Amino acid sequence: MERKADIIVVGAGLAGLVAAAEIADGGKSVLIVDQESELNLGGQAFWSLGGLFLVDTPEQRRLRIRDSHDLALRDWMGTAGFDRDEDHWPRCWAQAYVAFAAGEKRGWLRAMGHRIFPVVGWAERGGGAASGHGNSVPRFHLSWGTGPSVVAPFERRVRDAAASGRVSFAFRHRVDALSVTNGVVDGIRGTVLEPCASARGVASSRAAIGEFAFSAQAVIIASGGIGGNHDLVRASWPKCLGQPPVRMLSGVPAYVDGHMLAIAERAGARLINRDRMWHYVEGITNWNPIWPLHGIRILPGPSSMWFDARGCRLPGPLYPGFDTLSTLAYLRTTGHDHSWFILNQSIIRKEFALSGSEQNPDFTGKSWRLVAQRAVGNKAPAPVEAFKEKGVDFVVRDKLADLVAGMNAITGCDLVELEAIEREIVARDGQLDNPFCKDAQLAAIREARRYAGDRVIRTARLHKILDPAHGPLIAVRLSILTRKSLGGIETDLEGRVLRPGGEVLSGLYAAGEAAGFGGGGMHGYRSLEGSFLGGCLFSGRVAGRAAAKATL
């Protein structure tokens, strides 16, 4: 089977859709190739919460948040921690992306119909130093309509272009090799997979029914990362984090398998920063799974007490929502693959959100009525209550002794001692007998509540965890949840793929997670923005425009 297009885009996720839309607008023909069915158009972004990193926005200013490009860039660089020779292009991409987030990003999306929830969230609050990692101010802008609303404008643009003949699709086509002629990438070869009607996100058949070869003047790789491939995650696990976990959950579908990375490398591309990755430490087993080992991330407010597997309280500033990578590094030293939140009903009602479009039907469905119900009554949002009732990682009891017994029952061993847990919680609660304290987490909670957005929807009033009026008590077992690759294919500022010597691999571009969201790792060691969407949008736009401009 042979087909031609000016440009081939490998991957029908967000970065691929953005690139294809820009190519079509540039007057070129584009063929989108993906191993999954059309039901998976939009890829991982469809399942996301839809958070976007934006700087100095009207939403921030209405909440009296003083932000600026200079502050955001300082935060980004302090968080990224670039320290390698290969960080030249990632650093350049980081500078360009922050300028984009502080400039035309919001207006560009808004012109396509995208809208933002008015309360700005505060992801990755950092490690406690002004010059170090973390967001100095809230910058997490939640898309009204969550992930599907981010995908929708680009799907619409691509389908409109398809109707006019500038875009075509080849679903259920798995790329197995890049075609290279005289040092120039000029097409792809691979396997045609049997038709599969599996629902979005469900693992699909890999049975082959044929082969294909497509040619083009350029190829853009936008095939995603490695989070669904635990073997590859473990093989790339950074030495600084010790041994990789034996047990992990998957925050992405199985098709996020890193398949195209090795293919690009065999064709001559340079892969860098493979050991930089962004996995969450607040993963819980989905009681209603869609893909294998399906986990959901808790987006916690700052009030839950965090304990390791043996019941030792985590040291500051490793509080919920503050410093993902440092918390992961600390937990890998404990010798266990899980940790615990201990909280109560008042905290879970106000502070627990679950990452993902399917776990937030009010925001995904754009229902102000359902959003308003979050502020009514003593119950958490319905998806959170469903996990509390049905989730295998949740223990709900009225008495602390029963709670600890339930925690040990989940793990099947008596790792947690009642006396140790009780000592920490009683000491913490005792700090609330005065309007001042030495417990740094309580001080952080007070600081959070100074921000109107946290006070209204994200941070509970300070109270004693053991106060029966705020019960029942709740314990949540947390697992490591695979999510994002922060390294990948090295690219220049036009999205062109580079060879190991630094020269351009002609005809090949990369975007999205496959390219470390730009340059081979524009986030550095840590994802300041708390989202992968912005990097997909920006790198897809850059690569699509550059490829269209370079094509005859």
Side-chain angles (χ1 to χ4, degrees), residues 53 67 71-81 122-139 278 321-324 326 526-530:
F53 179 84
D67 200 6
L71 180 61
L73 185 60
R74 186 159 61 246
D75 285 349
W76 191 285
M77 292 303 180
T79 299
W122 200 344
E124 287 300 301
R125 302 180 191 226
S131 60
H133 50 275
N135 281 293
S136 297
V137 298
R139 296 191 177 106
W278 195 248
F322 275 68
D323 187 348
T324 296
S326 293
R526 291 176 166 90
S527 178
L528 179 72
E529 63 180 334

Side-chain angles (χ1 to χ4, degrees), residues 75-99:
D75 285 349
W76 191 285
M77 292 303 180
T79 299
F82 296 122
D83 61 359
R84 297 175 176 175
D85 292 341
E86 57 263 39
D87 281 336
H88 169 72
W89 287 112
R91 186 181 287 108
C92 291
W93 271 86
Q95 293 168 340
Y97 177 65
V98 173

